[in-house]
Amino acid sequence: MQRTFAIIKPDAVAKGVAGRILSKIEENGFKVVAMKMMHMTDAQARGFYQVHRERPFFGSLVAFMTQGPSIVMALEGDNAIARWRELMGATDPAKAAAGTIRKEFASSIEANAVHGSDAPDTAAFEIPYFFSALEITAR
């Protein structure tokens, strides 16, 4: 079993499709071991996306992620990181495969509905960024 981190981003929450995305997550064999809705502060978003701080899109990313509530989650399953990334689809929804979350629910490269850890070390940073050990359901 492996854990990964996921966000249903503010654009998807605002469109009212969070429940449909959660259904896809569960239908694809993931166990949600932690979940909460939150409205990220500027400081939280800057800290979370610190790896991108030198990139030109950093400011717009922070603004986007703080525009409204999002749902943060820890997911568990066999090969969870790779499987979640596959279910999310390409960052650009126009290039995402049919049946992926981004193909179905995203509007643009930036308003792309969901986030997911890209590697075990990323998940190891992202999950405890938002959840204490007490908030995560034991296996």
Side-chain angles (χ1 to χ4, degrees), residues 46 49-56 58:
R46 286 180 181 281
Y49 287 108
Q50 67 181 329
V51 67
H52 299 303
R53 68 186 172 278
E54 300 301 324
R55 297 227 163 127
F58 181 70

Side-chain angles (χ1 to χ4, degrees), residues 48-79:
F48 182 73
Y49 287 108
Q50 67 181 329
V51 67
H52 299 303
R53 68 186 172 278
E54 300 301 324
R55 297 227 163 127
F57 60 82
F58 181 70
S60 64
L61 175 61
V62 169
F64 171 71
M65 290 303 295
T66 59
Q67 73 184 9
S70 56
I71 298 171
V72 295
M73 298 172 282
L75 307 178
E76 187 175 79
D78 290 329
N79 201 22

Side-chain angles (χ1 to χ4, degrees), residues 10-88:
D11 60 311
V13 173
K15 286 196 292 192
V17 297
R20 291 169 60 196
I21 292 171
L22 283 167
S23 290
K24 283 181 102 54
I25 288 168
E26 292 183 333
E27 288 164 7
N28 280 273
F30 292 96
K31 179 180 178 186
V32 179
V33 296
M35 178 171 64
K36 59 186 163 187
M37 180 178 270
M38 64 181 298
H39 192 145
M40 268 189 235
T41 65
D42 186 79
Q44 287 169 327
R46 286 180 181 281
F48 182 73
Y49 287 108
Q50 67 181 329
V51 67
H52 299 303
R53 68 186 172 278
E54 300 301 324
R55 297 227 163 127
F57 60 82
F58 181 70
S60 64
L61 175 61
V62 169
F64 171 71
M65 290 303 295
T66 59
Q67 73 184 9
S70 56
I71 298 171
V72 295
M73 298 172 282
L75 307 178
E76 187 175 79
D78 290 329
N79 201 22
I81 294 169
R83 287 181 42 243
W84 172 236
R85 295 196 63 80
E86 183 178 338
L87 181 59
M88 286 193 308

